[in-house]
Amino acid sequence: MASTKLRDTISECIYRIQSDCDDETKEKALQTLVSVTKTSPSYRNLVAQNHEVIPTVLTLLKSSSRTLERLSLSVLFSLSLNPNLKSTLADMDTIQHLNTVILSRGSLESSKLAASLICSLAMLDKNKAVFGVANTIQTLLKAVSRPKSPVTHHLLSSLAELVHFHGNCTLAVRSGAVNVLLRIVENQDSEDLSGTSLVILGLIARFNEGLKALTNTSGIVSRMLDVLKGTCMLSIEGAAEVLIRVFDESAECLKEAMGSTDLVFVLAELTVRGSTRAREKASLLMRKLEADESYAEDNIVFLQW
């Protein structure tokens, strides 16, 4: 009985949104859908069973009314929380409009919702490539390059999810992601933003393009050392991960690290006082430095002989 009443309510909301009613009436109908879709996964599935809901709400994304846009994004975000609906929502036209919302400098709330919706949809692996084709990687990097805003964290979270896919990592590197993210790290406005940026750099470093970009970055070892000297464990863990991958790739970077007494001291401190992950990564870095030092000493002995 309750589900029948709810279906009737959903149908009434869609009827009002599709009619020639004024914006206030449409806003109330959308607000009802927002409340319903926030309630539970089963209610979200019930809403989606009305095949007119998603196309109708998607149409309102392009409304000139900021309120209608925000409420539409809220409904879509709630629906995207159901894994079975993620594929349906990730069509090219919708994604490109989300890019537009993020770059529009309009409502901060709409921008947050658009970024959160991208992140939610990208959690379905087969959606990740679609975002790459739709230029979402470039959009996110352009947006995070702006002066710090309340939306930046949401944008970085979306980027972090998308670069798990190799193709998106390549796009990010070619769009200047390494320099953009390092600027955020070194800006020191927010430990949270710095930590997330370093997580993304660590993800980028898993693939050849990203690793080469990092090893070719001027002063990468000393820049990561500066992060290791800080207090934010998320940032420290991220910087240590970057150094692990950089040392495996570049003999020059490892040689530079060998000449830094500061680095050895900082790593020794982290093996005792860091978080569990930071201790593990610091210990691994210490072993890499010790192994390289032993190799160098063996070669000196050989040459002397």
Side-chain angles (χ1 to χ4, degrees):
M1 187 70 177
S3 62
T4 301
K5 184 177 180 181
L6 182 55
R7 284 192 179 92
D8 290 341
T9 299
I10 294 166
S11 296
E12 178 64 23
C13 289
I14 294 303
Y15 170 76
R16 294 190 178 189
I17 293 169
Q18 291 176 334
S19 69
D20 293 330
C21 296
D22 56 31
D23 282 359
E24 185 178 354
T25 301
K26 292 180 180 180
E27 287 169 16
K28 288 179 180 177
L30 273 175
Q31 188 60 64
T32 298
L33 290 178
V34 169
S35 300
V36 171
T37 53
K38 282 184 176 180
T39 303
S40 69
S42 61
Y43 276 23
R44 291 193 280 273
N45 281 331
L46 199 60
V47 169
Q49 284 172 16
N50 183 318
H51 299 304
E52 293 186 76
V53 169
I54 292 177
T56 300
V57 176
L58 286 173
T59 299
L60 286 180
L61 273 183
K62 299 178 181 179
S63 170
S64 58
S65 164
R66 295 292 188 189
T67 303
L68 290 176
E69 178 187 70
R70 174 179 56 79
L71 291 171
S72 300
L73 285 166
S74 185
V75 171
L76 294 172
F77 173 69
S78 293
L79 290 174
S80 76
L81 299 177
N82 280 26
N84 60 306
L85 299 178
K86 292 184 188 293
S87 181
T88 304
L89 293 168
D91 70 275
M92 186 64 70
D93 189 54
T94 301
I95 292 171
Q96 288 176 338
H97 189 74
L98 294 177
N99 295 347
T100 301
V101 172
I102 286 170
L103 293 177
S104 67
R105 297 181 182 270
S107 162
L108 285 177
E109 191 60 32
S110 288
S111 295
K112 286 181 184 179
L113 285 166
S116 298
L117 179 52
I118 289 171
C119 189
S120 176
L121 295 177
M123 288 178 183
L124 181 66
D125 284 344
K126 74 175 188 177
N127 282 347
K128 288 180 169 64
V130 184
F131 283 102
V133 174
N135 295 321
T136 302
I137 301 297
Q138 294 89 331
T139 295
L140 293 171
L141 287 170
K142 184 175 181 179
V144 299
S145 297
R146 295 170 175 172
K148 180 187 171 187
S149 82
V151 183
T152 304
H153 172 71
H154 300 267
L155 299 170
L156 288 173
S157 295
S158 299
L159 187 60
E161 188 61 44
L162 287 169
V163 295
H164 279 89
F165 176 61
H166 188 179
N168 288 340
C169 174
T170 299
L171 287 172
V173 171
R174 293 177 181 176
S175 301
V178 170
N179 287 331
V180 169
L181 294 168
L182 283 174
R183 281 199 297 271
I184 294 173
V185 170
E186 293 168 346
N187 202 12
Q188 298 182 342
D189 279 346
S190 166
E191 289 185 342
D192 184 43
L193 298 182
S194 175
T196 306
S197 296
L198 283 158
V199 167
I200 298 170
L201 287 171
L203 290 169
I204 285 175
R206 295 177 308 152
F207 301 113
N208 191 48
E209 301 92 333
L211 189 52
K212 282 187 175 179
L214 282 164
T215 56
N216 290 332
T217 298
S218 177
I220 188 64
V221 173
S222 61
R223 293 164 87 168
M224 291 301 100
L225 173 57
D226 287 341
V227 177
L228 294 178
K229 291 177 179 178
T231 57
C232 174
M233 280 300 150
L234 180 61
S235 294
I236 289 170
E237 291 167 8
E241 177 65 23
V242 168
L243 285 178
I244 288 168
R245 296 190 180 275
V246 163
F247 288 172
D248 285 341
E249 171 70 13
S250 170
E252 284 299 314
C253 288
L254 189 53
K255 181 180 178 181
E256 180 185 343
M258 290 290 298
S260 172
T261 53
D262 271 2
L263 179 58
V264 175
F265 176 76
V266 169
L267 291 175
E269 284 283 302
L270 285 173
T271 60
V272 177
R273 300 182 183 178
S275 64
T276 301
R277 289 189 65 198
R279 291 198 303 271
E280 291 172 354
K281 292 178 187 294
S283 296
L284 179 55
L285 285 168
M286 289 285 281
R287 290 197 295 273
K288 288 182 182 294
L289 292 176
E290 289 166 1
D292 192 71
E293 187 175 48
S294 298
Y295 175 78
E297 288 174 354
D298 289 345
N299 274 293
I300 289 171
V301 172
F302 175 77
L303 287 170
Q304 288 174 337
W305 180 84

